[in-house]
Amino acid sequence: MNTITCPIPVQEREHIQLAHGGGGKLTQELIETIFYPAFKNDILEQEHDSAQIAMPGGRIAFTTDSFVVDPVFFPGGDIGELAVNGTVNDLLCSGAVPQYISVGFIIEEGFAINDLKKIVQSIADAARKANVKIVTGDTKVIERIHGNQIYINTSGIGSIPESVALSPKNVKHGDSVIVTGRIGEHGICVLSTRNSLGFETDIKSDTRSLNEIVRNLLKDIPQTRVLRDPTRGGLSSTLNEIAHTAGAGIEINEEALPISKGVESACELLGLDPLYIANEGILLVFVPGEYEKQALEIIRNSEHGADAMPIGKVIPDPAHRVYLQSAFGGKRVVEVLSGEQLPRIC
Amino acid sequence: MNTITCPIPVQEREHIQLAHGGGGKLTQELIETIFYPAFKNDILEQEHDSAQIAMPGGRIAFTTDSFVVDPVFFPGGDIGELAVNGTVNDLLCSGAVPQYISVGFIIEEGFAINDLKKIVQSIADAARKANVKIVTGDTKVIERIHGNQIYINTSGIGSIPESVALSPKNVKHGDSVIVTGRIGEHGICVLSTRNSLGFETDIKSDTRSLNEIVRNLLKDIPQTRVLRDPTRGGLSSTLNEIAHTAGAGIEINEEALPISKGVESACELLGLDPLYIANEGILLVFVPGEYEKQALEIIRNSEHGADAMPIGKVIPDPAHRVYLQSAFGGKRVVEVLSGEQLPRIC
């Protein structure tokens, strides 16, 4: 039997080994010394294979997202925080109250254990901020490539209040389109940290969970049509999806788009369109036109909503397209992203 | 703006490109032409960011597992089937009725789309067999390494009937330990398909979901203490975990272990202990001693339970250890796996 217990040299204890994913002693050590202390909660402490959760009857939202962002640390956040916020925001977009999150790690052999600890702490902090519990998890280890990669899957559950009925199918002509914050921050931030790209900015990722905006909005405006987080593919993809499902056109005004000087300059420099850049901490909100003013006030008075802007409206259009009214008076069709503007953005 | 629509050369259409994970047109194409047709169900067709599911009140089980098995195709199954069955069996071990599964793909650039289709079909088939719905998913693409890797995360939800109270904490002296099928099949199968290992067998993976065994057992013997699937780390790790949590010893009899000639020979040839080899399609079942005979009959009459064997019992032991009574009369301690016997087994 080949399970000889060797003393592990010091340098080996500082990096992930294949055996950390083997289901034996080292896996248990990771769980007991790193994961449990950071994620501590009553459900996790049951130590079952599955989390056992008491739920009231009714609708729940269930979502999953894997994160492969490169680099794993970037200005304004890291892959751990991103993984929690992304799944929390997906639940929020269903109108659910985010409650329980699972975390699945796939870690490259040779990954620094100190980096893992930082990421785990970010996950714990982001979960606390978003008021969700990490209740179940899994760890696998793959052979070394560069020794600096970790992939994280988060799945999440939340209960949907009975009054909520969000759907792109509800969207109607005359609806107002609001974006809750400045666009393009996450995408340009990750782009600027890729060594080979040779430009630097002080732009930070906008990764954050948007619980307060959604809670306040749905409380006061139950007529809200749909909420979406325009992540990969940027505003253009999300707007096109909604137009397609709603069977309507959407017209947005270039001048109304909230965009920082930094993102604007970076886009000009690189020949990129901010409508195609990924976001992590903003939402697109569709409300009936008559609620625009009230919605805007609610969002601007909520955490992370100060830069909210009404950016356009839903129009009749048999082609179900998205149009951009440019600052110079022209109008063009905003197509769905057809290539990959920047891989491994989230 | 850099989203020029180029005609894609034929060979490019046969392999995964980075843009398939970009959230734009190619991502949508994967979803519409490969995922939706295979996974088709009423919840998936809502096309929300999150699945919206009506649940009765009460306890639910929530679990997650990532699969990184190498190679992704092996005798008896593939990574897709494994990913569904693994998560279904985890839910079953909580006493839950498995219901809803999420699928998160991380695919290497260059992965053959035909292979992806095969894997997706396996997922759909395994879900149908296990009576679960694939209700939400996600796809990310990472840069090419060897062009043959895919990682799959499945998370799952199931409702736990009120009568069920499975826990390793329930385990008591005198309990009987039953294994529902032959051990070591999955581990030896994957090992034998790794090119470098230079031996061949006709052993197939035992990947399968065990709904019927669990349903029949919990219906007739609600006194069942605990169920566990001894995957990574094999029987030794699972038995040690249960002994530790129960605060008791476990004694198993080598002669009683159900093991095929093929696995036995492979273990002898490679100097491996079958107690440390991964399984995918068997359960460890703990029942009060007086229910052993009845439990065995129920399991043997259920699908995938024909080879079930009572392999040992729970004993008082202040050290909370697992002991093996050997065929030759000796007795030794069965330690937890301390290294990595075989990486990327699941």
Side-chain angles (χ1 to χ4, degrees):
Chain A
M1 172 48 218
N2 289 339
T3 53
I4 301 153
T5 311
C6 309
I8 300 167
V10 173
Q11 70 275 22
E12 292 287 296
R13 283 189 230 134
E14 293 172 1
H15 294 90
I16 290 291
Q17 304 163 52
L18 286 170
H20 279 113
K25 270 187 188 162
L26 286 184
T27 306
Q28 205 52 39
E29 199 179 291
L30 270 192
I31 293 173
E32 283 170 9
T33 64
I34 299 183
F35 300 145
Y36 273 5
F39 300 153
K40 212 171 162 56
N41 64 64
D42 51 328
I43 297 171
L44 198 62
E45 278 156 18
Q46 298 165 348
E47 293 187 44
H48 283 290
D49 259 19
S50 310
Q52 301 196 4
I53 303 166
M55 293 292 277
R59 278 178 305 162
I60 65 167
F62 177 32
T63 191
T64 193
D65 224 335
S66 298
F67 295 83
V68 301
V69 62
D70 172 29
V72 296
F73 296 97
F74 45 80
D78 63 42
I79 190 171
E81 196 180 340
L82 198 67
V84 173
N85 294 340
T87 287
V88 164
N89 288 342
D90 276 352
L91 291 172
L92 288 170
C93 286
S94 308
V97 179
Q99 293 171 291
Y100 304 105
I101 301 276
S102 67
V103 180
F105 295 101
I106 299 175
I107 316 176
E108 200 187 323
E109 181 188 11
F111 194 79
I113 287 185
N114 273 338
D115 284 346
L116 178 63
K117 285 181 184 167
K118 279 186 217 161
I119 290 166
V120 165
Q121 193 54 50
S122 290
I123 292 175
D125 292 345
R128 207 185 47 247
K129 271 187 218 158
N131 202 22
V132 295
K133 289 179 178 175
I134 310 291
V135 293
T136 189
D138 175 59
T139 307
K140 294 291 182 332
V141 178
I142 54 171
E143 286 87 351
R144 184 187 177 94
I145 305 152
H146 304 294
N148 60 357
Q149 194 57 60
I150 185 169
Y151 308 121
I152 302 179
N153 175 283
T154 46
S155 299
I157 298 177
S159 54
I160 306 177
E162 222 175 310
S163 57
V164 169
L166 297 170
S167 169
K169 289 173 191 158
N170 299 341
V171 167
K172 288 188 180 58
H173 313 154
D175 284 355
S176 169
V177 185
I178 297 172
V179 65
T180 64
R182 288 180 299 181
I183 66 171
E185 310 271 320
H186 179 74
I188 295 296
C189 158
V190 173
L191 195 63
S192 73
T193 60
R194 298 263 173 96
N195 296 329
S196 56
L197 289 167
F199 81 99
E200 274 180 38
T201 70
D202 55 1
I203 297 162
K204 285 183 183 159
S205 165
D206 63 347
T207 178
R208 57 197 179 192
S209 58
L210 299 166
N211 305 53
E212 200 181 308
I213 291 177
V214 175
R215 192 172 55 235
N216 293 343
L217 198 61
L218 294 184
K219 181 163 66 75
D220 288 348
I221 311 182
Q223 296 84 352
T224 300
R225 308 286 199 198
V226 69
L227 304 172
R228 277 287 164 87
D229 52 338
T231 55
R232 280 183 299 175
L235 258 66
S236 64
S237 294
T238 306
L239 289 170
N240 269 289
E241 275 171 38
I242 293 174
H244 177 78
T245 310
I250 298 173
E251 187 173 280
I252 56 174
N253 307 312
E254 193 171 20
E255 281 189 303
L257 292 171
I259 184 165
S260 69
K261 283 228 157 7
V263 169
E264 202 169 12
S265 321
C267 282
E268 273 169 21
L269 186 72
L270 299 165
L272 297 172
D273 184 334
L275 290 176
Y276 293 82
I277 307 285
N279 311 280
E280 288 291 335
I282 62 171
L283 297 178
L284 282 164
V285 175
F286 284 63
V287 292
E290 64 270 31
Y291 290 96
E292 179 182 281
K293 211 183 135 196
Q294 191 192 347
L296 207 57
E297 198 180 303
I298 292 167
I299 297 167
R300 287 184 179 159
N301 287 320
S302 302
E303 190 188 17
H304 306 312
D307 299 318
M309 282 292 287
I311 60 166
K313 56 181 192 296
V314 179
I315 56 170
D317 178 40
H320 311 159
R321 282 186 157 165
V322 179
Y323 302 92
L324 182 79
Q325 189 74 48
S326 90
F328 311 104
K331 188 166 158 177
R332 65 169 171 87
V333 171
V334 179
E335 301 280 3
V336 180
L337 180 66
S338 68
E340 169 72 67
Q341 201 168 42
L342 177 65
R344 313 264 309 265
I345 198 76
C346 60
Chain B
M1 171 50 220
N2 289 338
T3 54
I4 303 152
T5 310
C6 309
I8 300 168
V10 173
Q11 70 274 24
E12 293 288 294
R13 284 190 229 133
E14 292 171 2
H15 295 90
I16 290 291
Q17 306 164 51
L18 285 170
H20 278 112
K25 270 188 190 162
L26 286 184
T27 307
Q28 206 51 40
E29 199 179 290
L30 270 192
I31 293 174
E32 282 170 12
T33 64
I34 299 184
F35 300 144
Y36 274 4
F39 301 153
K40 211 170 162 56
N41 64 65
D42 52 329
I43 297 172
L44 198 62
E45 278 157 20
Q46 298 166 347
E47 292 189 42
H48 283 290
D49 259 19
S50 310
Q52 301 195 5
I53 303 166
M55 293 293 277
R59 279 177 304 162
I60 63 166
F62 177 31
T63 191
T64 193
D65 224 335
S66 299
F67 294 82
V68 301
V69 63
D70 170 30
V72 297
F73 296 97
F74 45 80
D78 64 41
I79 190 170
E81 197 180 340
L82 198 66
V84 173
N85 294 340
T87 287
V88 164
N89 289 341
D90 275 352
L91 291 171
L92 288 170
C93 286
S94 309
V97 179
Q99 292 171 290
Y100 304 106
I101 301 276
S102 67
V103 180
F105 294 101
I106 299 176
I107 315 176
E108 201 187 324
E109 181 188 11
F111 193 80
I113 287 185
N114 273 338
D115 284 346
L116 178 63
K117 285 181 183 165
K118 279 186 217 161
I119 290 167
V120 165
Q121 194 52 51
S122 290
I123 292 176
D125 293 345
R128 208 186 47 249
K129 271 187 219 159
N131 201 24
V132 294
K133 289 179 177 175
I134 309 292
V135 293
T136 189
D138 175 60
T139 307
K140 294 290 179 336
V141 178
I142 54 172
E143 286 89 349
R144 185 186 175 94
I145 306 154
H146 305 293
N148 61 358
Q149 194 56 62
I150 185 169
Y151 308 121
I152 301 179
N153 175 284
T154 46
S155 299
I157 297 177
S159 55
I160 307 177
E162 222 175 310
S163 57
V164 170
L166 297 170
S167 169
K169 288 173 190 156
N170 299 341
V171 168
K172 288 187 181 60
H173 313 155
D175 283 356
S176 169
V177 184
I178 297 172
V179 66
T180 65
R182 288 180 299 180
I183 68 171
E185 310 273 319
H186 179 73
I188 295 296
C189 158
V190 173
L191 194 63
S192 73
T193 59
R194 297 264 174 95
N195 296 330
S196 56
L197 287 166
F199 81 99
E200 275 180 37
T201 71
D202 55 0
I203 298 163
K204 285 183 182 156
S205 166
D206 63 347
T207 180
R208 58 196 179 193
S209 58
L210 299 166
N211 305 51
E212 199 181 309
I213 290 177
V214 175
R215 191 171 58 235
N216 293 343
L217 198 60
L218 295 184
K219 181 163 66 74
D220 288 348
I221 311 183
Q223 298 84 351
T224 300
R225 309 287 198 195
V226 70
L227 305 171
R228 278 287 163 88
D229 53 336
T231 54
R232 282 182 297 176
L235 259 65
S236 64
S237 294
T238 305
L239 289 171
N240 268 288
E241 275 171 36
I242 293 174
H244 178 77
T245 311
I250 297 173
E251 188 174 280
I252 57 172
N253 307 312
E254 193 171 21
E255 282 189 301
L257 292 170
I259 183 164
S260 69
K261 282 230 161 5
V263 169
E264 200 169 16
S265 321
C267 283
E268 273 169 22
L269 185 71
L270 299 164
L272 297 171
D273 184 333
L275 291 176
Y276 292 82
I277 307 287
N279 311 280
E280 288 292 336
I282 60 170
L283 297 178
L284 282 165
V285 175
F286 284 64
V287 292
E290 63 269 31
Y291 290 96
E292 179 182 281
K293 210 182 137 195
Q294 191 192 349
L296 208 56
E297 198 180 303
I298 292 167
I299 297 167
R300 287 185 179 158
N301 287 321
S302 301
E303 191 187 17
H304 306 313
D307 299 319
M309 282 292 288
I311 60 165
K313 58 182 189 297
V314 179
I315 55 170
D317 177 40
H320 312 157
R321 284 185 156 163
V322 178
Y323 302 91
L324 181 78
Q325 188 75 46
S326 90
F328 310 106
K331 188 166 160 176
R332 67 169 170 87
V333 171
V334 179
E335 301 280 2
V336 180
L337 181 64
S338 67
E340 170 71 69
Q341 201 169 43
L342 177 66
R344 313 266 307 267
I345 199 75
C346 60

